[in-house]
Amino acid sequence: MLKKGNKLYSILTGTCPKCHSESMYLEKNPYKLGKLFKMHERCSHCNTKYKIEPSFFYGAMYVSYGVGVAFAVAAFVISFLFIGTSLFTSFIAIVGTMIVFLPVIIRLSRNIWINFFVHYDPNAAKKK
Ligand SMILES: [Zn+2]
């Protein structure tokens, strides 16, 4: 299901939205916090410029709101409905989840954001 050409592939792996050939990030692991926001200027495979315009990724903040809510809901459902903890513990679980997954949420948001604007191009993927 998850293969190149599918937007989900680019979103989940953080690869170039156009050719899906390589990571947009200098450091793939989002938990190396010093490099969380460090991205390549362009894709070395298809030459797509990631930062389409100045402060392009500010828009990702709107996406991160939605992604954050999704994580919060998931944390709540798992702790409150599946594990059966109290409301208060579920609340702690939500806060904990948000903190622990923040780097992932930030990266996912950027990946989703750029995938709104840049679409997969099989020809770009084939080049080289
Ligand atoms: Zn590319």
Side-chain angles (χ1 to χ4, degrees), residues 10 13 34 48 55 65 72 95 104 118 125:
S10 167
T13 58
T48 294
S55 52
Y65 180 75
V95 174
V104 176
V118 184

Side-chain angles (χ1 to χ4, degrees), residues 16-22 43-48 50:
C16 169
K18 190 157 187 185
C19 70
H20 294 188
S21 291
E22 60 173 53
C43 175
S44 71
H45 187 84
C46 68
N47 206 32
T48 294
Y50 298 137

Side-chain angles (χ1 to χ4, degrees), residues 5-90:
N6 188 321
K7 274 199 186 300
L8 265 181
Y9 179 86
S10 167
I11 289 170
L12 294 179
T13 58
T15 45
C16 169
K18 190 157 187 185
C19 70
H20 294 188
S21 291
E22 60 173 53
S23 179
M24 293 189 284
Y25 300 97
L26 297 185
E27 172 57 58
K28 276 187 184 174
N29 183 352
Y31 287 95
K32 295 199 173 151
L33 296 179
K35 291 185 173 167
L36 181 59
F37 294 106
K38 297 257 165 64
M39 301 177 77
H40 294 288
E41 179 95 2
R42 287 170 181 279
C43 175
S44 71
H45 187 84
C46 68
N47 206 32
T48 294
K49 195 178 179 197
Y50 298 137
K51 207 173 173 183
I52 296 167
E53 54 192 34
S55 52
F56 170 68
F57 284 105
Y58 277 100
M61 283 193 298
Y62 302 109
V63 181
S64 72
Y65 180 75
V67 176
V69 168
F71 272 78
V73 169
F76 178 77
V77 168
I78 289 168
S79 65
F80 189 71
L81 297 179
F82 291 155
I83 305 175
T85 56
S86 68
L87 265 182
F88 181 74
T89 311
S90 303

Side-chain angles (χ1 to χ4, degrees), residues 30-31 33 36 96-108:
Y31 287 95
L33 296 179
L36 181 59
T97 304
M98 297 303 272
I99 293 169
V100 169
F101 286 101
L102 193 62
V104 176
I105 293 170
I106 289 170
R107 283 272 173 103
L108 275 178

